[in-house]
Amino acid sequence: MTANSLLSWTPAAIVFDCDGTLMDSECHWEEARELVLRGYGVETPDDFGERTKGLHYTECGRVMAEAAGLAPAVAEQLTAQLLEHFRKLVAADPVTIPGACALVQHAARFAPLAVASNCPRDVVESGLASAGLLSHFIDVVVPDATLRPKPDPDLYLAAARACGAPPAVTLAVEDSYCGILAASRAGLRVLGVGPNPHERELALVDMWVPTLADAALLDWAGTRESLTASYARA
């Protein structure tokens, strides 16, 4: 699908990633990782943010243990410390991505919305609530005992199901390769967002925009009408 055809299409539902897509929290993850690793006398590798972007926080803890040269058993402790720092940083400075509020508000008028995130539920919901966005979403889907984290497709499949739409007519909005891969595996069409996409990301998305404040994207969302077809909830 080309950019032009995506912007002439009306999805039956839209599922948003949260971190880095709706909420500007990647900087908080970066600072939290640095605080944890510094406590073990380790400087954060230059490529660490790119390596861990979009990963589930438990997987991030494992990668941090490797970077610090610590035993794998320490990963759980690092994960707990990471979440503690991250929660404090987000609570002190919740910030939305430019264009996120306008896009969500426009989209909620023509399609059911959900969030699919690898973050803890309390962090996602508190951040969206602080931005005045939480009420626009039918569901917030996060990993649990039955749903595997991204890059597995479980979260996107569950989110589309919560919206009552088949994956093939549902749009995912993502900023990371991990999330794009999950949405693609689930069979959703994908809108990628961010300033510097890699080729591997561009190969999987239907359209890429540098920002959710993109004028053509907001104009598209503001002029859509709800589909007349209804989809039975699974």
Side-chain angles (χ1 to χ4, degrees), residues 45-55 63-64 66-67 200:
D46 291 339
D47 66 342
F48 198 79
E50 188 61 34
R51 286 168 56 198
T52 57
K53 185 177 181 180
L55 291 181
V63 178
M64 290 172 67
E66 290 180 356
R200 64 178 184 175

Side-chain angles (χ1 to χ4, degrees), residues 99-136:
C101 290
L103 180 60
V104 168
Q105 290 164 0
H106 285 323
R109 287 198 283 265
F110 72 85
L113 311 181
V115 170
S117 175
N118 271 352
C119 279
R121 179 179 299 277
D122 65 295
V123 174
V124 176
E125 292 185 345
S126 63
L128 294 175
S130 71
L133 296 178
L134 184 59
S135 63
H136 292 295

Side-chain angles (χ1 to χ4, degrees), residues 4 32 37 90 99 117 120-121 136-137 145 156 161 163-164 172 174 180 183 199 208 210 213 231 233:
N4 286 339
L37 289 175
V90 171
S117 175
R121 179 179 299 277
H136 292 295
F137 296 99
Y156 275 105
R161 187 162 56 247
C163 290
E174 269 284 358
I180 290 168
E199 288 300 321
W208 191 278
Y231 298 95
R233 292 181 183 271

